[in-house]
Amino acid sequence: MKVWQEVENPVTHATTHKEVALLTDQKCKLSYEKQTSTTPTGGPALIAQTTKLFIAPELDIPAGSKIIVTQHNKTTEYARSGEPAIYTDHQEVQLELFERYS
């Protein structure tokens, strides 16, 4: 997981924004759900996919984080969307495909 934050150069003391890794190599699982809806005009059905991340409950995933998941030899970048649902043994986080930092 990465975030865009201010970083101070220790030599020049100049502050710039950089992508900083907060967490790496965390075990997780992705769940996909397709949702189909029809239009009232009888046009083609709209299909949307919801992606949910299952991860350890003690991890803090800030809003706007870039979450990079490698599953089945495919790496995809996501952004956190919404507040996580936290349970005793895991948390569920809705994800969106990452476009850019807010």
Side-chain angles (χ1 to χ4, degrees):
M1 175 180 59
K2 297 181 178 184
V3 294
W4 188 254
Q5 68 183 59
E6 290 183 348
V7 176
E8 182 180 328
N9 183 312
V11 176
T12 65
H13 299 287
T15 301
T16 59
H17 283 86
K18 292 187 178 183
E19 192 174 75
V20 177
L22 290 183
L23 298 170
T24 57
D25 299 325
Q26 298 294 316
K27 290 187 177 205
C28 64
K29 177 186 169 194
L30 289 178
S31 172
Y32 304 97
E33 181 179 322
K34 289 196 178 174
Q35 300 161 341
T36 305
S37 64
T38 58
T39 61
T41 60
L46 302 174
I47 299 173
Q49 178 174 286
T50 302
T51 305
K52 192 182 295 184
L53 176 73
F54 291 78
I55 196 161
E58 66 274 4
L59 300 177
D60 182 30
I61 302 174
S65 299
K66 179 191 283 186
I67 299 167
I68 303 163
V69 178
T70 301
Q71 185 178 43
H72 307 296
N73 296 320
K74 180 181 178 192
T75 300
T76 308
E77 294 181 347
Y78 297 97
R80 185 189 116 180
S81 170
E83 291 298 314
I86 300 177
Y87 301 96
T88 306
D89 59 349
H90 73 284
Q91 66 177 302
E92 299 176 11
V93 182
Q94 293 285 102
L95 300 178
E96 295 177 357
L97 287 175
F98 182 84
E99 292 180 26
R100 62 183 175 81
Y101 285 107
S102 322

